[in-house]
Amino acid sequence: MKMTGAQALIECFIRKGVEVVFGYPGGAVLPIYDVLYDAPIRHVLTRHEQGAVHAADGYARVTGKPGVCIATSGPGATNLVTGLANAYMDSIPIVAVTGQVATNLIGRDSFQEADITGITTPITKHNYLVKDVRDLPRIISEAFYIATTGRPGPVLIDLPRDVSSAEFDFVYTDKVDLVGYKPTYKGHVKQIEEAAAAINGSRRPVLYVGGGVISSGAHRELFALATKANVPVTTTLMGLGAFPGNHPLSLGMLGMHGTAYANYAVMNSDLLIAVGARFDDRVTGKLDVFAPQAKVIHIDIDPAEIGKNVDVDIPIVGDARNVLSSLVERVQHVERTEWFEKIAGWKRDYPLAYEERDDEIAPQYVVEQIYEITKGQAIIATEVGQHQMWAAQYYRFDEPRCFVSSGGLGTMGYGFPAAIGAQVGRPDRTVIDIAGDGSFQMNIQELGTVASNRIPVKVVILNNGCLGMVRQWQQLFYKERYSYIDLRDNPDFVQIAAAYGIKGRRITKREEVRPVLEEMLALPEPVVIDVQVCRGANVYPMVPAGGALDKMLGLGRE
Ligand SMILES: Cc1ncc(C[n+]2csc(CCOP(=O)(O)OP(=O)(O)O)c2C)c(N)n1
């Protein structure tokens, strides 16, 4: 059948099951937008390309399906860079399509030309510049395959304008044959047996779980392993929800702002079972004293992860779901009374806690109230800063794919557009962006997207009038020299919401928190809630950057 490149692109999207794309038009993608005009695919027009790529990312995180976004050439394409880097660091499957100037104009500094394949090479799993329209069906199939298999990640397809306008005989292909790209799904049996023996023989084991467990859909296998072998579980930020946060075996999050009991458990363990986690410096703290007594099992689909940051005793390359289910068959129940008594002692002595005051609203209290009102059933997106860590600490995630947060890159401005994508992917769920007043202003223009599409995302701003996390670091490590963190001249967020036709409320007193949140969260439309929280609250516990994991500030003892 004769088709243009643009028609072929959309036809392939339909065959790949793409239901929604997030994007922003411009000259180089007009042929694609012309086809989208009557295609059976929903297009969500964001107000910035960064919004589009973060929305595709949020959609992917909650649905498990790849997110798709489109941007024009030049500035449209470069506006995707942060979102692609963000998805790359967190292993999120995205297929991004950018327009490019016509092939005869490439390399001539043409209007709106940018070498986006060059720019994104280090921040995409793979990228393509399509030079011949006949390659397009194969490239699209490869892009989806690469984005979603092995360790997931973003793939970019750069499509010159003449290629998307060119006609050719369209033949769909699903076949992918990539030399040198063959992810290993099954772990080596010998290593799995060795790992099972180590677990059975361990007296103080800890499961250290990352986002890989969520992306591979291994949470049930993880639950089976932890409960059968009787092993406590701590997760990274990306791993929140992989194991029920309310379960007695849960230690919560570990690392810089992890729970004291998770950090103590890791530092005292004799066997660390890392699954789909990458020993990020926010987790390990000072590497040469990290988990000093522990033998390390590392399960990961990406062989490049193994041994990257820590020496591993039992490496297992494979899909977490496969490997964990083989492990479950081979482990047995071990009592480990002494170990659990020790952990219970740490939990009793060092619970997560914060200071309550009558005259000011504690930000942690707001998160607790959101948790209680939503009964833990909401999808929570966050921006980056203190509010992100409080959301991670005080909202108990019981299910995977319910926490949408920028882990690796730490991108302020991520949460709101990601929440939009999450809400589009999960219209049945309440989606809340827990935001900081600084971060929210980084992609505040997406209020236009939620307003015009009536996407019922809720934004709760923990408004402390400053860049709180930076304030905390300046307080603790720069002698309270508060350099350029003041946001006291913030605009009135309720009025801004109103200007977009969105309902908003400001909360200034503690007793208003519960009723106003209840009322606003129940509305079937987007809302903005500006909670004036105390300025001086810190995220505790805290392991100073590069410090040992068991040397935490804020345990109520200094
Ligand atoms: C794009 C970007 N720029 C700068 C930073 C550095 N940074 C990390 S946290 C933070 C402060 C965040 O302030 P706010 O959003 O108000 O949240 P709070 O910490 O007050 O909860 C900054 C500036 C970042 N993470 N991302």
Side-chain angles (χ1 to χ4, degrees):
M1 200 202 303
K2 283 260 183 251
M3 273 193 198
T4 64
Q7 285 169 330
L9 175 77
I10 301 303
E11 179 62 28
C12 290
F13 277 0
I14 294 167
R15 295 190 190 215
K16 294 277 168 223
V18 174
E19 288 164 352
V20 58
V21 300
F22 303 89
Y24 207 94
V29 284
L30 283 183
I32 301 172
Y33 273 78
D34 191 52
V35 180
L36 275 173
Y37 187 71
D38 39 30
I41 289 184
R42 178 175 180 195
H43 177 277
V44 176
L45 176 69
T46 55
R47 294 320 189 242
H48 189 302
E49 289 86 356
Q50 188 182 354
V53 60
H54 288 328
D57 172 311
Y59 175 90
R61 288 189 205 227
V62 302
T63 63
K65 296 189 258 183
V68 179
C69 60
I70 300 177
T72 194
S73 65
T78 54
N79 276 347
L80 295 183
V81 167
T82 302
L84 292 171
N86 188 77
Y88 186 65
M89 290 283 275
D90 285 351
S91 308
I92 304 302
I94 287 181
V95 174
V97 176
T98 46
Q100 182 54 279
V101 300
T103 38
N104 64 332
L105 293 174
I106 291 178
R108 293 168 187 256
D109 291 341
S110 313
F111 178 63
Q112 295 196 325
E113 182 188 0
D115 173 12
I116 198 64
T117 48
I119 292 169
T120 59
T121 295
I123 53 165
T124 50
K125 193 169 167 191
H126 196 61
N127 66 23
Y128 295 90
L129 171 61
V130 187
K131 292 192 182 134
D132 185 332
V133 70
R134 287 167 299 183
D135 294 336
L136 199 49
R138 170 185 59 81
I139 286 176
I140 296 166
S141 278
E142 285 180 10
F144 277 87
Y145 181 74
I146 293 170
T148 54
T149 54
R151 178 178 186 164
V155 178
L156 181 133
I157 303 172
D158 198 24
L159 200 52
R161 198 189 152 126
D162 56 322
V163 176
S164 54
S165 310
E167 277 211 337
F168 73 120
D169 282 319
F170 174 76
V171 184
Y172 181 69
T173 172
D174 222 357
K175 237 182 73 208
V176 173
D177 184 21
L178 292 163
V179 181
Y181 180 70
K182 299 271 180 292
T184 307
Y185 288 96
K186 281 218 158 125
H188 196 285
V189 179
K190 266 236 166 89
Q191 284 155 314
I192 290 174
E193 275 167 2
E194 213 184 306
I199 296 170
N200 291 336
S202 153
R203 294 167 55 197
R204 302 186 309 278
V206 174
L207 270 156
Y208 148 49
V209 168
V213 167
I214 295 176
S215 58
S216 64
H219 54 284
R220 284 186 206 88
E221 289 73 11
L222 172 72
F223 189 84
L225 177 69
T227 48
K228 184 175 178 195
N230 199 25
V231 179
V233 183
T234 179
T235 82
T236 66
L237 185 79
M238 290 294 297
L240 285 172
F243 190 79
N246 280 319
H247 195 280
L249 285 173
S250 172
L251 298 171
M253 187 170 75
L254 82 165
M256 180 176 278
H257 292 299
T259 62
Y261 36 96
N263 288 343
Y264 285 137
V266 167
M267 291 301 269
N268 287 279
S269 94
D270 65 358
L271 179 71
L272 197 60
I273 310 151
V275 196
R278 61 192 173 88
F279 295 90
D280 179 82
D281 55 282
R282 279 288 190 275
V283 157
T284 60
K286 194 172 162 58
L287 253 187
D288 45 3
V289 293
F290 175 68
Q293 308 154 42
K295 209 171 170 171
V296 176
I297 300 173
H298 193 177
I299 301 165
D300 206 291
I301 192 135
D302 183 353
E305 278 308 325
I306 291 179
K308 185 181 79 181
N309 292 333
V310 298
D311 291 335
V312 173
D313 299 282
I314 308 175
I316 306 179
V317 176
D319 173 70
R321 197 167 167 188
N322 270 321
V323 174
L324 291 182
S325 64
S326 316
L327 267 176
V328 172
E329 292 164 17
R330 292 171 168 85
V331 294
Q332 64 219 23
H333 184 89
V334 181
E335 222 30 79
R336 303 189 181 98
T337 316
E338 226 177 282
W339 184 222
F340 282 101
E341 271 169 12
K342 228 178 175 148
I343 289 172
W346 290 322
K347 281 188 171 177
R348 193 179 51 238
D349 293 347
Y350 309 105
L352 275 178
Y354 61 90
E355 205 182 323
E356 290 259 37
R357 297 204 212 141
D358 289 339
D359 52 336
E360 289 187 306
I361 303 173
Q364 300 93 329
Y365 172 73
V366 181
V367 176
E368 277 181 343
Q369 292 306 306
I370 296 173
Y371 175 68
E372 280 180 23
I373 293 165
T374 59
K375 302 188 176 65
Q377 293 296 300
I379 290 175
I380 301 292
T382 75
E383 307 289 341
V384 168
Q386 292 181 310
H387 61 278
Q388 175 189 32
M389 292 301 133
W390 288 320
Q393 291 176 333
Y394 290 93
Y395 199 96
R396 301 294 175 91
F397 295 92
D398 278 339
E399 277 177 79
R401 301 198 179 283
C402 288
F403 184 59
V404 177
S405 194
S406 170
L409 199 63
T411 311
M412 289 173 73
Y414 166 81
F416 183 35
I420 293 172
Q423 185 76 81
V424 168
R426 290 299 305 268
D428 56 316
R429 287 282 185 121
T430 299
V431 178
I432 304 169
D433 174 33
I434 296 183
D437 45 329
S439 295
F440 183 52
Q441 293 182 75
M442 285 217 173
N443 274 314
I444 196 166
Q445 76 287 345
E446 298 308 328
L447 283 169
T449 307
V450 296
S452 72
N453 293 279
R454 303 316 287 169
I455 297 170
V457 163
K458 315 288 186 275
V459 180
V460 180
I461 307 168
L462 301 183
N463 188 347
N464 53 12
C466 64
L467 298 172
M469 189 57 101
V470 182
R471 191 207 54 73
Q472 174 168 342
W473 283 55
Q474 289 175 346
Q475 179 194 338
L476 298 175
F477 311 116
Y478 292 88
K479 303 196 177 100
E480 300 184 26
R481 286 160 53 84
Y482 297 118
S483 183
Y484 301 105
I485 47 94
D486 195 79
L487 295 177
R488 265 183 276 232
D489 52 4
N490 270 328
D492 181 330
F493 292 115
V494 176
Q495 276 196 47
I496 288 189
Y500 281 96
I502 293 171
K503 281 203 182 113
R505 286 285 291 275
R506 176 172 307 105
I507 300 175
T508 54
K509 295 193 193 75
R510 196 173 186 276
E511 58 273 19
E512 295 170 339
V513 171
R514 179 85 187 207
V516 175
L517 280 177
E518 262 173 3
E519 185 193 326
M520 297 302 277
L521 295 181
L523 293 175
E525 59 189 80
V527 299
V528 173
I529 309 159
D530 175 4
V531 194
Q532 308 277 313
V533 296
C534 65
R535 188 178 165 99
N538 283 339
V539 184
Y540 286 134
M542 178 180 197
V543 179
L549 213 51
D550 53 1
K551 302 280 181 293
M552 287 166 274
L553 305 176
L555 291 183
R557 311 209 152 187
E558 54 266 276

